[in-house]
Amino acid sequence: MKVRKIVAGLAAVSMLAAFSAQGAFAADTVTITADKVEVAAGETFTMNVSLSGVPAAGISVCEFALTYDTEWVTVTGVTVGAIADNGVDSAEPIDGATAFDVDYSTAGVINASYITGLDDSAYWITENGVFMTITGTVDSTAVEGDTTEFVLGAIQRQTSEGSGVTNDEIAIGNISADYTVTQFDVTTSNGSVTVAGNGTTGDTGPTPGPTQGDYLAGDVNLDGSVSIVDVVMLNKAVMGAEKLNDQQKKNGEVDGDASALGAGDSLTILKHLVDLIPELPLGQ
């Protein structure tokens, strides 16, 4: 297999940028999609960033960025995906550099690129799939339901070293052995991290307990049903081994004597459980 190096690093991107300035693009459109994930506060998340619509000709240059709010999201790692992990670095060693490169050292920004000067398309991106995988954490103070968007856009650096011109669009294309430059149209689908599950609800105090009528009469343990467990809990409370809140006491007062919980309430619940008493009234 003949492998010839044409251009590498920023030179390749500069060629794409110059081509883009002329307004000439190939008919193909590549879509970059970042996952939308849900994760509980205090937990870790994984977000894949994938390419679809990859042209048969392949991609030798691809660079873009994701920006996100750092209020309660921290990115802890970014790894190469299957479609960019194709052995290119063994075929094209450049001072220890790799074709896939990512920089997330600045909070709120992930700069990602895949650049090879090889003209052998076997080492280009030639299929749809995961380009990279982002891992991170959600702060334990995050509020359930909140969402942080990961916005796809142009890589955050100059178009070429010393140019003073900042990139303003995503670059995806290829450069052939005869230096023919092809750039593809790009569409994006932003990713997001949404707090779900065990996140807080933003309350400034403890969640209020249930009010009378929210639960069944006889439901001492407040699980929404009446069973022998309620009798056991009530007996423990009568003996001083269990402490009940106001709602539990109200639900346990079922014998018509609201002055105090006692053996009569336990017996009434038992009778109800064996169908001797069809319904249990809440004590007043």
Side-chain angles (χ1 to χ4, degrees):
M1 180 185 300
K2 183 178 179 181
V3 177
R4 186 166 67 85
K5 189 176 302 183
I6 308 170
V7 288
L10 293 178
V13 179
S14 296
M15 292 180 70
L16 278 183
F19 188 73
S20 171
Q22 299 172 11
F25 289 84
D28 300 276
T29 298
V30 179
T31 300
I32 310 174
T33 303
D35 287 348
K36 292 176 170 54
V37 299
E38 294 188 356
V39 61
E43 299 297 325
T44 61
F45 68 87
T46 299
M47 176 187 295
N48 287 327
V49 180
S50 304
L51 302 184
S52 59
V54 174
I59 296 169
S60 64
V61 178
C62 173
E63 63 173 24
F64 58 88
L66 293 100
T67 56
Y68 60 95
D69 191 337
T70 61
E71 181 180 359
W72 46 265
V73 170
T74 301
V75 170
T76 57
V78 182
T79 56
V80 62
I83 63 172
D85 189 16
N86 55 11
V88 61
D89 297 325
S90 297
E92 184 190 36
I94 306 176
D95 298 328
T98 57
F100 174 81
D101 184 63
V102 64
D103 179 10
Y104 56 94
S105 58
T106 300
V109 180
I110 303 171
N111 284 316
S113 63
Y114 177 94
I115 302 172
T116 177
L118 295 176
D119 62 349
D120 186 345
S121 62
Y123 299 107
W124 294 1
I125 296 173
T126 57
E127 59 184 3
N128 300 333
V130 176
F131 178 77
M132 67 182 186
T133 300
I134 302 166
T135 55
T137 59
V138 171
D139 192 87
S140 60
T141 62
V143 176
E144 185 174 346
D146 275 359
T147 298
T148 288
E149 191 172 19
F150 279 64
V151 180
L152 288 153
I155 197 166
Q156 297 195 357
R157 62 161 176 72
Q158 296 179 28
T159 55
S160 60
E161 188 174 357
S163 70
V165 179
T166 302
N167 287 276
D168 59 3
E169 58 184 36
I170 295 171
I172 297 181
N174 62 47
I175 304 171
S176 66
D178 63 358
Y179 294 90
T180 299
V181 178
T182 302
Q183 183 159 352
F184 305 115
D185 287 319
V186 179
T187 61
T188 60
S189 178
N190 295 332
S192 62
V193 176
T194 300
V195 182
N198 296 326
T200 65
T201 59
D203 293 336
T204 57
T207 302
T211 59
Q212 185 169 352
D214 284 348
Y215 295 88
L216 296 172
D219 180 20
V220 180
N221 68 344
L222 304 182
D223 68 351
S225 64
V226 180
S227 69
I228 192 66
V229 176
D230 300 291
V231 176
V232 173
M233 178 175 283
L234 182 54
N235 285 337
K236 287 183 177 180
V238 171
M239 293 184 293
E242 186 79 38
K243 187 174 181 180
L244 305 180
N245 63 31
D246 290 342
Q247 182 63 49
Q248 289 173 307
K249 291 176 182 177
K250 290 178 180 179
N251 286 5
E253 292 170 352
V254 294
D255 67 347
D257 180 5
S259 61
L261 290 174
D265 298 294
S266 295
L267 181 60
T268 301
I269 295 175
L270 281 172
K271 288 181 178 180
H272 171 68
L273 292 175
V274 295
D275 295 325
L276 294 178
I277 300 178
E279 294 182 0
L280 290 174
L282 280 170
Q284 299 298 325

